[in-house]
Amino acid sequence: MIKITNLNKSFGENKVLENLNCNIKTGSIYGLIGANGAGKSTLLRIIMGIFKEDSGTIELDGKELQDKEEMMQKLVFIPDDLFFYKNYTLKDTIEFYSKIYSNFEYDRAIKFAESLKLPLDKKVNYFSKGMKRQSALICAICTNADYMFFDETFDGVDPVVRNYLKKIIAEQMEKKETTIIMTSHNLRELEDICDNVGLLYKGGILFESDIDTLKTNMFKIQISLPKEFSKEEFSNYKVLSFKKVGSVATIILEGDREKYEKELKELNPIILDFLPLTLEEIFIYQMEVLGYEFNSIV
C-alpha cells in the first residue's frame, strides 16, 4: 500500500503539490489524471526519490520511503521524457535493466520485444516515439518491481499496441500483486485498465473513486412520459444533469439503479432506455456537482 500524507512541494514560489493525501491499495492500478502542469510527474519523482518533498510523508507498506538500494529494487519509473543511453540498442537496454534489477526476466523482455516487432539490434535513439515508449514499458514490466510508475503511459502508442501493453500490465499486476500508478491527461486511455482513478488539481487530489463504484452508481437514461413533464418530476432522485428536447429527456442519475428502474417503470413511460456512461462523462458530471468545469481541469 502507498500512503501519502500532507505532501507539499514548491519550486521557488510555484506551489506544485499542496497538502496532497492519497491511499493506493496493494495490487491495484491507480490512474492519476490531470492537466499538464498539475503535478503528476512531480509526485512520481518524489516517490522515486528524484525530488525531495518540502514536507509530508510517503509510506510503502507501512514504512516511510527511504533512499536505500533494497527499497529501490522494489520501484521502477518510466518518465514522460524518456531517456536511453545514446549508443544502446534495445538488447543493450534490456541487459542494462537486468544488471540493475535482481528479479529481471531477460527472456521475457526479449519475447515481448519480438512480439511488438521491436528491432533488438537497432539503437533505441533511432526508434520512433511510440517504439521508445514500448521499449521502456516492457523493460519496466520485466523488472518484477513491486511498485511501477508510468508517466503519460501510452503517449505516442497506437491503439492496437496500446491494448497489448494494457494486457501485459494487467497480467503483471495479477501475477505479483504489483501496485501501479499510471498518469495521463486522457481518461479514455485509463478507464479500461485502472481500478481507481484520482483527479489531481491545484496540488491536491480533488476527486477520487474506484471505477466500479463510479460506473455502478451513475447512469444515463432517456425517458418520455405520456404527459408533459419537467425536472421537478424527478425531485425524489439524485439528478446530476437534466436535458429535455421535445418530449424526450436525457437524465444523469446517481444512486441505486434497480430501485430507480422499478420506480421509473411505475410512471408508465413511453420510452425508458438505460445508456452506458464513459468514465469521462462520469467525471464531467461529478465535477459539475463540485462546481468545476471538467475541461478547465483536464
Side-chain angles (χ1 to χ4, degrees):
M1 181 177 179
I2 301 174
K3 183 178 181 180
I4 302 170
T5 306
N6 296 329
L7 194 68
N8 290 277
K9 179 63 181 177
S10 297
F11 295 98
E13 296 183 359
N14 181 27
K15 281 189 176 181
V16 181
L17 302 176
E18 187 172 5
N19 293 324
L20 187 148
N21 293 278
C22 185
N23 292 321
I24 300 170
K25 297 176 184 176
T26 299
S28 67
I29 301 178
Y30 187 95
L32 185 64
I33 65 167
N36 292 330
K40 305 187 299 296
S41 299
T42 298
L43 175 59
L44 297 187
R45 282 173 165 80
I46 291 174
I47 296 174
M48 286 299 301
I50 299 170
F51 292 159
K52 174 67 177 173
E53 68 276 8
D54 297 332
S55 61
T57 60
I58 301 172
E59 296 179 5
L60 272 63
D61 298 331
K63 298 179 181 178
E64 280 199 40
L65 189 61
Q66 297 177 2
D67 186 16
K68 294 181 179 178
E69 184 178 348
E70 60 194 80
M71 181 65 77
M72 290 299 106
Q73 283 286 317
K74 295 183 176 183
L75 311 177
V76 66
F77 172 47
I78 301 300
D80 180 25
D81 50 339
L82 298 173
F83 170 82
F84 295 93
Y85 286 108
K86 185 176 180 180
N87 293 314
Y88 271 30
T89 64
L90 177 53
K91 190 172 183 180
D92 293 333
T93 303
I94 291 171
E95 289 176 352
F96 175 74
Y97 270 83
S98 71
K99 291 174 182 176
I100 295 176
Y101 289 91
S102 57
N103 293 323
F104 190 85
E105 293 182 277
Y106 181 90
D107 291 341
R108 187 175 176 221
I110 297 293
K111 181 181 176 183
F112 283 152
E114 291 173 345
S115 297
L116 290 164
K117 296 181 171 53
L118 297 171
L120 289 162
D121 296 322
K122 183 176 179 179
K123 291 180 181 178
V124 179
N125 276 337
Y126 294 135
F127 283 8
S128 68
K129 181 180 180 180
M131 291 168 68
K132 287 179 180 178
R133 182 67 57 180
Q134 294 168 49
S135 301
L137 285 170
I138 63 173
C139 287
I141 289 165
C142 291
T143 64
N144 281 306
D146 294 332
Y147 300 92
M148 297 184 178
F149 310 118
F150 304 141
D151 197 4
E152 295 298 342
T153 315
F154 304 112
D155 189 26
V157 178
D158 70 64
V160 174
V161 174
R162 188 186 306 153
N163 287 336
Y164 176 77
L165 291 170
K166 285 182 179 180
K167 179 182 175 184
I168 63 176
I169 289 170
E171 287 174 349
Q172 180 67 25
M173 187 269 286
E174 293 175 0
K175 173 185 173 185
K176 274 205 68 182
E177 282 205 324
T178 308
T179 304
I180 300 170
I181 300 179
M182 306 170 72
T183 79
S184 180
H185 58 276
N186 187 343
L187 262 171
R188 294 174 187 173
E189 288 186 348
L190 302 181
E191 71 173 305
D192 60 349
I193 188 172
C194 294
D195 305 301
N196 300 271
V197 179
L199 177 59
L200 187 58
Y201 179 64
K202 291 188 176 180
I205 300 295
L206 176 62
F207 174 83
E208 68 178 340
S209 179
D210 70 89
I211 288 179
D212 285 343
T213 297
L214 280 176
K215 290 191 170 182
T216 300
N217 289 349
M218 285 184 65
F219 46 93
K220 180 195 296 186
I221 66 166
Q222 283 189 332
I223 188 168
S224 178
L225 299 178
K227 62 178 182 178
E228 184 59 31
F229 66 98
S230 63
K231 184 178 179 179
E232 283 66 38
E233 186 76 38
F234 307 93
S235 58
N236 292 331
Y237 305 92
K238 187 170 182 180
V239 177
L240 302 184
S241 174
F242 182 93
K243 295 176 183 177
K244 188 181 178 191
V245 178
S247 62
V248 179
T250 300
I251 310 173
I252 309 299
L253 297 171
E254 184 175 15
D256 186 331
R257 173 170 171 160
E258 288 187 6
K259 176 176 177 290
Y260 284 1
E261 187 171 0
K262 181 180 178 182
E263 292 177 358
L264 289 169
K265 284 181 177 178
E266 292 175 356
L267 298 175
N268 298 314
I270 299 169
I271 298 172
L272 179 59
D273 292 325
F274 284 78
L275 305 173
L277 277 171
T278 66
L279 191 58
E280 185 171 304
E281 286 179 306
I282 290 171
F283 263 74
I284 287 170
Y285 295 119
Q286 289 284 5
M287 291 306 98
E288 287 179 356
V289 170
L290 293 172
Y292 296 92
E293 185 177 340
F294 179 78
N295 291 334
S296 68
I297 295 175
V298 178

